Amino acid sequence: MQHRALTQLLTRAESSCHEWSRQHSKSISLLLSLSNIVTQQTAALKHSFEYINASRLVYKQSLAIEDVLDALNKVVDSLEDILYDLQRLENDAAKYVTKETTMSRALEPAPLSTETLIQTAAIQPHDVHGYIADVHFMLRKDFGYKQTLLDTLPRHMAHLEQLDDLQQKWSQQPHVRYAVMDQMTERIKLYKQVYKVVTSTD
């Protein structure tokens, strides 16, 4: 049944959005940790004369910074994997749009049945493709924005104010339209509710 396959595509896209949010939150935590470590390192260097093992402390902090940067790069890799998944979903959805266009010319009105009721409530191929394409487009733009910020990270680490500013820009996700994600989620819920009601009375 096509409507189930289409709903599965949209559900997978929704899962990708949730994973994106999870990785985004993780990246913010890492940037905050980085800011804290850099602050501590700056203080250690400024007051190094007060510490017997100041050089050892700075060395440990440098290792900690490297660990955070490695973890941040892994998050970016995970975000890119999500984009690959969304690209595949968008391509799959496009095939259903093509199929719908071909079949719609030959379809005749079907007698009322459980299946036709479900089909009426089902998310149409062009809507599924539209949702996934919109999500993919805006997350890809946000990914490009994040990569640009990441490229400037090394020089921002020398100035705490700039590092904090970068963290704020990173967290804002200016290209992400949460309304699109919410609409997609609500559309999935509506279909599942209708499907449950119709099939339970069949």
Side-chain angles (χ1 to χ4, degrees), residues 25-63:
S25 296
K26 184 176 180 181
S27 68
I28 293 174
S29 296
L30 288 169
L31 287 172
L32 288 172
S33 295
L34 182 63
S35 181
N36 289 334
I37 296 170
V38 171
T39 299
Q40 293 169 12
Q41 188 178 60
T42 301
L45 289 169
K46 185 176 181 180
H47 302 287
S48 59
F49 62 90
E50 299 177 12
Y51 302 101
I52 298 176
N53 295 318
S55 59
R56 181 174 176 79
L57 177 60
V58 170
Y59 174 71
K60 286 184 176 180
Q61 289 166 339
S62 297
L63 292 179

Side-chain angles (χ1 to χ4, degrees), residues 90 129-139 175 177 180:
E90 184 179 344
H129 180 265
Y131 280 126
I132 296 175
D134 283 348
V135 168
H136 179 213
F137 177 76
M138 67 185 184
L139 292 186
H175 300 101
R177 292 176 288 136
V180 174

